[in-house]
Amino acid sequence: MAEPIIIVEGKNDRSKLQRVLLPDVPVLCTYGTPGTRQLEKLRIQVLDRQVFIFTDNDASGRRIRGLLRDVFPDAEHMYTRKGYPGVEHTPEDYLVQQLEKAGLEEHIRYDSLDPASVWSKEDF
């Protein structure tokens, strides 16, 4: 797999993910609904990395996901649970679950988490 890169909506989403990711995984922001210039900037930043799209599970997040899907058709998609009001408010243990599900285990900062709160794939 090419080196991963994750695209989220905003800087709070990025901060939340960076708490559970090793620094080798860049987390880029769309800063809301991206226009043509922002989409081109993201495309240039991605280069040949494997793109993961992780937007909120709301109307705006779905719209942004659709725009990103057009630019990055081979991207992997990660999702928050419907009950969580966005990536930035998703519990860290659930973020870890989604990162594991996406095959990004080697990029997770397990040492930064409360061991009692982290679930692994084997728990399901």
Side-chain angles (χ1 to χ4, degrees):
M1 174 195 292
E3 289 299 308
I5 193 165
I6 300 174
I7 301 176
V8 297
E9 291 179 57
K11 60 185 179 179
N12 292 335
D13 298 337
R14 177 177 55 205
S15 294
K16 183 76 173 215
L17 272 177
Q18 287 174 328
R19 285 201 288 264
V20 298
L21 282 170
L22 294 172
D24 67 326
V25 180
V27 181
L28 306 179
C29 300
T30 64
Y31 300 107
T33 302
T36 305
R37 189 173 290 154
Q38 179 65 9
L39 288 170
E40 181 62 16
K41 182 179 175 185
L42 289 170
R43 192 186 63 72
I44 290 167
Q45 289 177 292
V46 164
L47 296 172
D48 59 352
R49 290 178 172 263
Q50 171 63 47
V51 176
F52 292 83
I53 297 171
F54 200 178
T55 59
D56 297 346
N57 194 4
D58 59 13
S60 176
R62 287 188 292 274
R63 183 170 43 255
I64 293 167
R65 187 181 295 277
L67 291 168
L68 293 172
R69 185 180 288 123
D70 290 343
V71 177
F72 305 108
D74 297 329
E76 297 284 333
H77 293 266
M78 299 166 54
Y79 299 89
T80 60
R81 198 177 276 159
K82 282 193 191 233
Y84 299 141
V87 174
E88 71 180 283
H89 299 292
T90 299
E92 289 181 5
D93 59 343
Y94 190 79
L95 290 177
V96 166
Q97 255 186 288
Q98 296 311 299
L99 292 165
E100 288 174 340
K101 193 190 254 186
L104 297 172
E105 298 92 341
E106 66 188 78
H107 302 283
I108 297 172
R109 291 185 55 206
Y110 290 104
D111 62 327
S112 70
L113 303 169
D114 174 5
S117 71
V118 177
W119 306 333
S120 68
K121 287 180 182 177
E122 290 76 36
D123 293 333
F124 297 94

